[in-house]
Amino acid sequence: MKIAELELRTIQLPLVRPFRTSFGTQYSREVLMLRMTDVDGNFGWSECVAMSEPLYSPEYVAASLDLMKRFFIPTLFAEADLRAESIAPLLSPFLGSPMAKATFETALLDMQLKIEGRSLADFLGANRTKIPCGVSVGIAPSIPELIEEVAGYIKDGYKRIKLKIEPGWDVEPVAEVRSNWPDIPLQVDANQAYSRSDGELLAKLDAFELLLIEQPLDEHDILGHAQLATQVNTPICLDESIVSLRAAEDALAMKATTVINIKPGRVGGYLEAVKIHDLCVNEGIPVWCGGMLETGIGRAANVALAALPGFTLPGDTSASSRFFKQDITDPFVMKDGYLDVPNTIGVGRTPDLEFLDSITTYKETIRS
Ligand code: OSB
Ligand code: MG
């Protein structure tokens, strides 16, 4: 395929409630969207999962946009016949920024699979038509408000609860949720908020039979996670640290993680995500699909990935309504705790252009 046109836009989608984590509070989701068109008029959509500020990862929307325009787009426009598989090698001289790179690979996959008449789920190797849903619950203003929010998600049918934690909001909220719901699959996510000396504190969470503790320490502290794993019984699961297949291999070799959260944007795209999935299947490591407050476009692709056989734990693949009153695509609606895996060609969702235009904060079309 030869690219003819790229439309970049940013949108601002309000959240149904503030989402507080150890790295800050989100009130609204700014998303960088890409529409790619080839010379024959075929098109594909994707979204960049980078957030507005470099708090979860070093990437952020304005930087992604700059990288795309300054380096990635001229490189891709120079190619006479582009395939999704060639995006990562072509962009590899530009260091870092897996989220921005993944945006191009995913839009091209959407286009390419539509041309081939194939769904993303089928292409990636999915073997299920529906997937169980988990939900990520932000740090609440108080314990009663947390319990009320969790109760709502349990009533909705979510099959697994993930609580965001930070120093000062850990043992007590986890104990309260566990005592209200003794049997619900429960896990926590610290987003790097603890330090190497917190082993004793984090070991107190062992009493609550958690599935895992996600990314307690700095993303670069693989050794620290390996040491922590000897101090706590709860499995350690890395998120931020796993930026590539190589990083996953290293973390497993160092015994720093026994479960892996796969986020396609964080690892440079769905093709690398499948490689990490395959590694984990071979090593007997359970994986689950993480989330980045995606719109229906990114959510559709995540749900397809989460239907692969190695995704044995429910992911942060929630219904659209978890974050948005109105999604930019047909919403993902949960039935009995499950989402249907899209089975139409490509990624399986397209935006409602009228709604998209109404929340667009910037738009630019670049032609080759
Ligand atoms: O660490 O998993 C995370 C959201 C934004 C950035 C990082 C994370 C999260 C979540 C929410 O926990 C995941 C979701 O449901 O989309
Ligand atoms: Mg996380």
Side-chain angles (χ1 to χ4, degrees), residues 8 32 34 36 46-51 57-69 71-73 76 87 91 94-107 264-269:
L8 290 164
L32 171 55
L34 172 66
M36 181 185 281
S46 68
E47 72 184 77
C48 179
V49 298
M51 305 182 82
S57 110
E59 296 190 75
Y60 60 99
V61 170
S64 309
L65 203 51
D66 186 75
L67 272 166
M68 289 174 175
K69 288 165 62 172
F71 303 109
F72 299 173
I73 292 174
L76 301 179
I87 297 276
L91 299 182
F94 306 112
L95 303 179
S97 301
M99 296 174 179
K101 291 173 179 174
T103 312
F104 291 97
E105 186 191 272
T106 309
R266 198 195 60 224
V267 303

Side-chain angles (χ1 to χ4, degrees), residues 118-241:
R118 216 173 160 190
S119 71
L120 180 67
D122 177 49
F123 171 80
L124 296 177
N127 70 346
R128 283 170 290 166
T129 56
K130 59 177 192 170
I131 54 142
C133 301
V135 59
S136 177
V137 186
I139 294 166
S142 68
I143 299 279
E145 284 160 279
L146 174 71
I147 297 301
E148 193 190 323
E149 186 178 347
V150 172
Y153 295 135
I154 297 213
K155 192 162 161 267
D156 291 342
Y158 284 102
K159 295 196 167 294
R160 183 227 70 192
I161 302 291
K162 160 169 140 182
L163 302 180
K164 290 289 194 179
I165 59 167
E166 66 181 3
W169 182 264
D170 40 41
V171 178
E172 197 194 347
V174 171
E176 290 287 337
V177 169
R178 179 47 92 210
S179 79
N180 276 273
W181 295 280
D183 300 321
I184 190 81
L186 185 63
Q187 64 193 51
V188 294
D189 185 0
N191 290 110
Q192 317 182 59
Y194 293 85
S195 59
R196 283 189 181 188
S197 56
D198 286 323
E200 222 168 290
L201 167 64
L202 292 171
K204 292 187 183 151
L205 296 173
D206 287 344
F208 308 111
E209 292 181 83
L210 304 181
L211 289 167
L212 55 92
I213 303 178
E214 186 178 342
Q215 198 72 42
L217 310 180
D218 185 88
E219 66 167 318
H220 299 108
D221 196 6
I222 305 302
L223 178 61
H225 283 100
Q227 290 169 344
L228 188 64
T230 68
Q231 297 172 286
V232 302
N233 290 326
T234 309
I236 307 284
C237 169
L238 292 180
D239 171 357
E240 285 91 324
S241 299

Side-chain angles (χ1 to χ4, degrees), residues 19 21 23 26 29 51 56 134-137 162 164 189 191 214 239-240 261 263 288 290-294 299 316-318 322-323:
F19 183 59
T21 67
F23 60 81
Q26 248 62 51
R29 179 66 160 117
M51 305 182 82
Y56 161 78
V135 59
S136 177
V137 186
K162 160 169 140 182
K164 290 289 194 179
D189 185 0
N191 290 110
E214 186 178 342
D239 171 357
E240 285 91 324
N261 163 337
K263 285 184 187 169
W288 54 282
M292 290 292 293
L293 288 75
E294 283 90 348
R299 199 164 295 275
D316 285 342
T317 42
S318 318
R322 157 67 184 90
F323 291 113

Side-chain angles (χ1 to χ4, degrees), residues 23-44:
F23 60 81
T25 306
Q26 248 62 51
Y27 297 91
S28 153
R29 179 66 160 117
E30 183 188 21
V31 194
L32 171 55
M33 304 290 310
L34 172 66
R35 184 183 194 272
M36 181 185 281
T37 312
D38 77 357
V39 291
D40 300 316
N42 301 297
F43 64 90

